[in-house]
């Protein structure tokens, strides 16, 4: 399944620098607002040491990791919800993403202009939050004006449920809060809420871009952000984008690790960011392993075997018969599919099997 995360933030907070670190593309990066006009698209792999282990055991002709698409979107300014700056384009681009990576400037540098004159990440966060909330509120009110008539005169049950969903969102947005704070219980409400594609309903990871000295420990700005988001149900990650760009230039793995150790880190910020984004979307990985290839497949946590098969090809889901499943730890312990089969560690599962993270699977289907 395709996973897309959008990098957002005010101009000159380090969005494009970070994008360049985590994708194979090289976006323009400069010290002036709206350096990024058209969105930049890049792909990066999801770090997973299990792929390396399986590769050594299976010795396939190729290895295919899971990937995440990263979109670097133009910087936002006050008034974007009314079309100021590149607002309308920004909002259209962000609507197409699955999750938001909200970059906040948490470092002092007089050589890098701040669009509002001084460093204040909480204020910056609130500017973008407000613009997204205003746009969502506009969406809600437009839908309400249409669907309320249907609910009142047409006896449409789904229309009545949609009015309830819209009003629940409207109440929260009018309080200056984001749509992601609203939860629904019934399947119908959940479906209707998802179809609205509200900007502030998307899961968000706040990425605090700090100076090198704060890469491992954070700083006062990070603590201010942490306090500001404590009730949001959002996540926070500390990264020094400038240092990450230097690490990305190193081709030798050992050099990278030495660099990280010098600044007090075990893993690069980019690795941590991708893993957190993957987790943020409630995703997990299963594997297929054979001589042609060892491959990681992305699915939602809780997906059953047919849905997991459908990620490979829709025919696999339509004609699903059964799945042969080996737990990753068993595969590593016994060293091969045939050894697992002989040891009774290969299980045959049906349509109700809920796939677990790390499962090594083979599907049987008939179309």
């Amino acid at each position: 399944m395709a996973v897309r995360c959008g990098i957002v933030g005010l101009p000159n907070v380090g969005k494009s620098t970070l994008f360049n670190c985590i994708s194979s593309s090289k976006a323009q990066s400069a010290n002036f607002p709206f350096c990024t006009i058209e969105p930049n698209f890049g792909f990066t792999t999801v770090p997973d040491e299990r792929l390396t282990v399986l590769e050594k055991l299976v010795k396939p002709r190729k290895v295919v990791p899971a990937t995440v698409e990263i979109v670097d979107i133009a910087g936002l300014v006050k008034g974007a919800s009314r079309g100021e700056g590149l607002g309308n384009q920004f909002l259209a681009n962000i609507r197409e993403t699955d999750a938001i990576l909200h970059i906040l400037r948490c470092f002092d540098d007089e050589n890098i202009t701040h669009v509002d004159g001084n460093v204040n990440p909480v204020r910056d966060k609130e500017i973008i939050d407000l613009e997204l909330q205003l746009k969502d509120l506009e969406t809600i009110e437009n839908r309400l004006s249409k669907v309320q008539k249907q609910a009142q005169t047409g006896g449409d049950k789904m229309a009545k449920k949609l009015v309830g969903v819209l009003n629940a969102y409207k109440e929260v947005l009018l309080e200056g809060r984001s749509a992601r704070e609203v939860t629904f219980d019934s399947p119908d409400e959940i479906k209707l809420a998802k179809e609205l594609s509200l900007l502030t309903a998307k899961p968000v990871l706040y990425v605090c871009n700090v100076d090198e000295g704060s890469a491992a420990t954070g700083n006062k700005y990070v603590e201010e952000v942490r306090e500001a988001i404590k009730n949001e149900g959002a996540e926070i990650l500390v990264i020094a984008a400038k240092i990450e760009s230097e690490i990305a230039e190193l081709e030798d793995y050992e050099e990278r690790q030495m660099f990280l150790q010098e600044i007090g880190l075990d893993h690069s910020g980019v690795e941590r960011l991708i893993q957190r984004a993957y987790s943020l979307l409630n995703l997990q990985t299963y594997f297929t392993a054979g001589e042609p290839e060892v491959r990681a497949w992305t699915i939602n946590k809780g997906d059953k075997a047919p849905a997991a098969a459908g990620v490979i090809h829709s025919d696999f889901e339509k004609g699903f018969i059964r799945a042969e499943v080996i737990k990753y730890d068993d595969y590593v312990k016994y060293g091969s599919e045939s050894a697992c089969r002989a040891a009774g560690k290969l299980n045959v599962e049906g349509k109700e099997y809920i796939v677990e993270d790390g499962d090594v699977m083979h599907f049987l289907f008939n179309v």
Side-chain angles (χ1 to χ4, degrees), residues 5-277:
C5 296
I7 297 179
V8 305
L10 292 178
N12 292 352
V13 297
K15 301 186 309 301
S16 295
T17 300
L18 187 59
F19 172 84
N20 288 338
C21 297
I22 60 180
S23 76
S24 58
S25 301
K26 292 293 180 184
Q28 185 183 10
S29 178
N31 183 26
F32 58 89
F34 307 123
C35 169
T36 302
I37 297 177
E38 294 296 330
N40 294 299
F41 299 89
F43 288 86
T44 189
T45 60
V46 178
D48 197 325
E49 295 176 357
R50 296 173 297 184
L51 268 179
T52 304
V53 175
L54 289 172
E55 180 183 10
K56 291 178 180 178
L57 293 173
V58 179
K59 296 180 176 59
R61 289 193 288 274
K62 66 177 180 177
V63 176
V64 184
T67 60
V68 174
E69 183 178 5
I70 304 295
V71 188
D72 176 24
I73 300 170
L76 189 70
V77 295
K78 292 177 183 177
S81 59
R82 302 187 303 276
E84 295 292 330
L86 299 170
N88 289 328
Q89 182 174 334
F90 173 99
L91 297 168
N93 291 331
I94 196 174
R95 199 178 294 280
E96 297 173 1
T97 65
D98 300 304
I100 297 170
L101 308 178
H102 187 158
I103 314 300
L104 296 168
R105 177 172 170 176
C106 294
F107 65 90
D108 293 306
D109 188 335
E110 60 184 23
N111 294 318
I112 300 179
T113 306
H114 190 290
V115 70
D116 282 322
N118 66 311
V119 177
N120 186 332
V122 174
R123 175 204 58 208
D124 296 351
K125 167 195 171 304
E126 290 173 349
I127 288 172
I128 288 187
D129 284 350
L130 178 59
E131 296 303 328
L132 299 184
Q133 289 163 5
L134 288 172
K135 199 64 180 180
D136 277 348
L137 191 57
E138 178 185 307
T139 299
I140 294 295
E141 290 176 338
N142 287 341
R143 289 298 300 274
L144 270 173
S145 66
K146 297 175 182 177
V147 78
Q148 277 178 326
K149 295 177 182 178
Q150 292 177 278
Q152 292 170 353
T153 61
D156 188 330
K157 291 183 179 180
M158 289 302 287
K160 291 180 180 179
K161 288 185 179 181
L162 179 55
V163 167
V165 168
L166 292 168
N167 280 325
Y169 277 136
K170 183 177 180 178
E171 181 180 347
V172 166
L173 291 165
L174 286 172
E175 293 175 357
R177 295 153 58 201
S178 294
R180 72 181 67 90
E181 296 184 38
V182 181
T183 58
F184 299 99
D185 297 322
S186 80
D188 284 342
E189 289 176 327
I190 293 171
K191 182 174 182 292
L192 289 168
K194 186 175 181 180
E195 289 172 351
L196 291 171
S197 297
L198 296 180
L199 301 170
T200 65
K202 297 179 184 296
V204 62
L205 173 63
Y206 291 103
V207 181
C208 294
N209 184 14
V210 301
D211 57 280
E212 178 182 350
S214 305
T217 60
N219 57 29
K220 65 176 183 178
Y221 295 127
V222 174
E223 293 310 311
E224 290 170 4
V225 174
R226 202 182 302 278
E227 177 65 22
I229 71 167
K230 65 182 181 181
N231 296 321
E232 282 192 27
E235 296 188 37
I236 189 171
L237 182 68
V238 178
I239 280 184
K242 185 177 179 181
I243 297 302
E244 292 295 326
S245 66
E246 294 178 20
I247 294 173
E249 295 296 325
L250 299 174
E251 295 184 5
D252 185 76
Y253 175 78
E254 291 186 1
E255 280 189 75
R256 290 188 181 190
Q257 292 307 114
M258 288 177 62
F259 197 136
L260 288 169
Q261 289 173 9
E262 287 177 6
I263 59 175
L265 296 172
D266 295 324
H267 299 281
S268 74
V270 170
E271 287 183 66
R272 291 182 285 118
L273 186 149
I274 297 303
Q275 289 170 338
R276 291 282 286 278

